[in-house]
Amino acid sequence: PRLLSQFFFADERVTRVVAEINGLDAELDPQQYLVLLNQLHLSQAHLLAVLERIMEECIPTQRHSRDYLVKFPEELLVDNLGNHMLFAAECLLAGTFLDMEESDGAQLRPQARNLLCSLELVRTVLREQSLSQPNSYPEPVRTVLIQFDRLFAEFELSYVSSLVAVKSPEEIYRQQEIIVLFCETVERALHLGYLTQEMIDGYEPLLMFTIPRLAIISGLLIYPEGPLSLERSPEEMSRVFSPFYNLLKKIRDLLRVLSAEELCLLERSLCTAE
């Protein structure tokens, strides 16, 4: 159950697979080479997972901030993102730039080198600690973990920023506005009896359609200064809604001519229509 013991065996597994790869002629046995590469990927992922748990146990209040992750596109936020970053650093150090410009790759190489050197130092220190005192984390161990955590975060942000357009602070704020709008829409729908708490607690599939529909009406009529404000230009709106700017104006104009009874009837029908 001791994390340092788990790290020792995870590190042993990575070392063993690397040794097998180095001793194999990939041209003579390409199939076995691919098998070993997959084993290396899995063993490195396990090693990083154990290392992450060790850092949470050893330096929980000294971790480098990961607030920048909110800037990343949602499709990048996967469980094995850390392993992808490690693979990217290894490729950069080997002179392979994957999907980026050579100039960007050359600029990132020093960061990749520092990260991989720091990881090797962490592996050495933790192996020694696991063999001597596997129940404690002395200051030298904490120091190398803090440094690795910082270098990893800095490389992750730099690497992803060189590949994709990360969200600006303005776009993040606009997304937060949408979250607030949806929350207020749900609260209003519960108050008016359009939805029930049981539907929400039971993850009723119909809500995936109902809540966005009601949110459009709320954003156009009830909270006109929110994220659906048509007083803004399309460029000032969230990218979720900006492509539909003209359509939203037509919807707003139609909603404005409805009476209170007609609006209620419309909203109720949106809660049942598929």
Side-chain angles (χ1 to χ4, degrees):
R2 294 177 296 191
L3 288 178
L4 283 175
S5 298
Q6 294 179 32
F7 182 87
F8 177 86
F9 289 107
D11 186 74
E12 283 279 285
R13 192 174 301 115
V14 171
T15 302
R16 184 174 62 252
V17 175
V18 170
E20 291 185 42
I21 291 176
N22 290 337
L24 180 71
D25 190 328
E27 294 183 357
L28 293 178
D29 196 348
Q31 188 65 33
Q32 180 63 15
Y33 181 71
L34 293 177
V35 170
L36 289 175
L37 279 182
N38 184 59
Q39 290 181 9
L40 178 61
H41 178 79
L42 295 175
S43 60
Q44 284 181 330
H46 179 60
L47 181 72
L48 288 178
V50 177
L51 180 56
E52 176 68 22
R53 292 169 60 195
I54 288 175
M55 289 191 291
E56 282 298 309
E57 182 176 86
C58 179
I59 54 170
T61 61
Q62 296 169 288
R63 298 294 304 272
H64 194 82
S65 173
R66 295 309 199 273
D67 290 347
Y68 59 82
L69 290 175
V70 300
K71 298 182 179 182
F72 290 1
E74 281 75 9
E75 60 270 18
L76 291 183
L77 300 178
V78 294
D79 291 338
N80 56 348
L81 179 61
N83 206 36
H84 287 315
M85 292 300 104
L86 182 59
F87 176 71
E90 292 169 340
C91 289
L92 287 171
L93 201 58
T96 303
F97 301 119
L98 300 179
D99 297 326
M100 66 173 55
E101 297 292 333
E102 185 174 347
S103 58
D104 293 333
Q107 190 173 359
L108 283 171
R109 284 189 73 183
Q111 280 186 280
R113 182 182 296 107
N114 290 339
L115 172 60
L116 293 176
C117 288
S118 178
L119 177 58
E120 286 304 307
L121 179 58
V122 165
R123 290 177 65 183
T124 300
V125 170
L126 289 183
R127 280 174 64 90
E128 294 175 352
Q129 187 65 25
S130 67
L131 292 172
S132 58
Q133 294 178 299
N135 292 318
S136 64
Y137 299 104
E139 192 59 34
V141 173
R142 299 168 59 85
T143 299
V144 296
L145 288 175
I146 291 172
Q147 180 188 46
F148 171 74
D149 189 47
R150 175 180 59 81
L151 291 174
F152 198 104
E154 291 174 352
F155 176 77
E156 185 173 55
L157 176 58
S158 299
Y159 181 79
V160 173
S161 298
S162 69
L163 290 181
V164 299
V166 298
K167 299 172 187 174
S168 66
E170 291 76 20
E171 179 62 21
I172 294 171
Y173 178 75
R174 291 167 190 156
Q175 288 189 343
Q176 291 174 337
E177 281 190 313
I178 295 174
I179 293 172
V180 172
L181 172 63
F182 273 55
C183 291
E184 292 177 336
T185 297
V186 170
E187 184 178 355
R188 176 174 175 269
L190 287 171
H191 177 72
L192 295 176
Y194 297 155
L195 306 176
T196 66
Q197 191 63 48
E198 289 73 19
M199 295 173 65
I200 296 174
D201 294 340
Y203 301 102
E204 172 63 44
L206 185 61
L207 296 180
M208 294 177 60
F209 303 97
T210 298
I211 294 176
R213 291 168 176 171
L214 294 177
I216 291 175
I217 294 179
S218 295
L220 293 174
L221 290 185
I222 313 302
Y223 311 107
E225 297 180 358
L228 283 180
S229 173
L230 297 179
E231 301 304 318
R232 307 175 180 179
S233 66
E235 293 75 20
E236 294 175 313
M237 297 179 70
S238 169
R239 286 179 289 182
V240 175
F241 295 116
S242 58
F244 310 104
Y245 184 82
N246 291 329
L247 177 60
L248 289 171
K249 290 184 68 175
K250 294 178 181 179
I251 294 174
R252 181 195 61 182
D253 294 341
L254 289 172
L255 292 174
R256 282 177 169 175
V257 302
L258 298 179
S259 65
E261 292 76 12
E262 290 170 331
L263 179 62
C264 179
L265 182 62
L266 172 62
E267 290 184 307
R268 288 191 178 278
S269 66
L270 292 179
C271 294
T272 56
E274 298 184 0

